[in-house]
Amino acid sequence: MRNPYAAAYVAGAVGTGALGILVSVRNATLGHPPPYAARHIARQVLSRLFGRWMSRREASRWAFALRAGYGPLLGMGWGLVRMRTSKWPLVGSGVLLGLGVLAFERMAFPLFKATALANTWSRAEHVWLFAQTALFGVVTEATLRQLVK
């Protein structure tokens, strides 16, 4: 792909798609969606924004829209800063992206009151958040490497 920004946008979308597959496994393993599930975040944040409690169905629709924008934008941001890590091994560079996303989310969740406090989450929920951000990072980086030669 000639346009590196378009490639980064597409890579973020592919990373988001891979994350969507992992979410089913995560929820089944935990036995419930974690506090940072996209629909929970959509429900918390947008209910306050709209001034009314959103239904579960509305929250699920908004969650899809939020993921559809968030992942590709993260991919574009990564495309802007990955110059130094593009020569690193795939997993190292991808996990670095995942750690960046994890740090951003751990900062943003309490700031926007999007989730219950992290100290109330189970150990498994913390592990799954790391796993999903790492997967997003590795898949996004792998896609970007394929698109930008």
Side-chain angles (χ1 to χ4, degrees), residues 42-96:
R43 194 174 209 182
Q44 287 294 340
V45 174
L46 295 176
S47 288
R48 277 196 316 279
L49 185 67
F50 296 150
R52 65 175 181 80
W53 191 245
M54 296 178 79
S55 72
R56 190 173 180 167
R57 183 178 225 183
E58 286 176 301
S60 292
R61 288 180 183 156
W62 276 102
F64 178 79
L66 291 173
R67 277 192 304 262
Y70 180 63
L73 289 175
L74 287 173
M76 286 183 69
W78 179 244
L80 293 171
V81 300
R82 73 181 278 273
M83 311 297 180
R84 295 192 185 268
T85 67
S86 62
K87 302 293 183 207
W88 290 13
L90 170 64
V91 173
S93 184
V95 169
L96 181 63

Side-chain angles (χ1 to χ4, degrees), residues 3-17 66-83 85 93-94 97-98 100-101 104-105 133 136-145 147-148:
N3 185 331
Y5 301 111
Y9 186 87
V10 169
V14 172
T16 301
L66 291 173
R67 277 192 304 262
Y70 180 63
L73 289 175
L74 287 173
M76 286 183 69
W78 179 244
L80 293 171
V81 300
R82 73 181 278 273
M83 311 297 180
T85 67
S93 184
L97 168 57
V101 172
F104 172 75
E105 290 182 349
T133 57
F136 171 82
V138 171
V139 171
T140 299
E141 177 63 20
T143 304
L144 201 48
R145 288 181 185 208
L147 295 175
V148 178

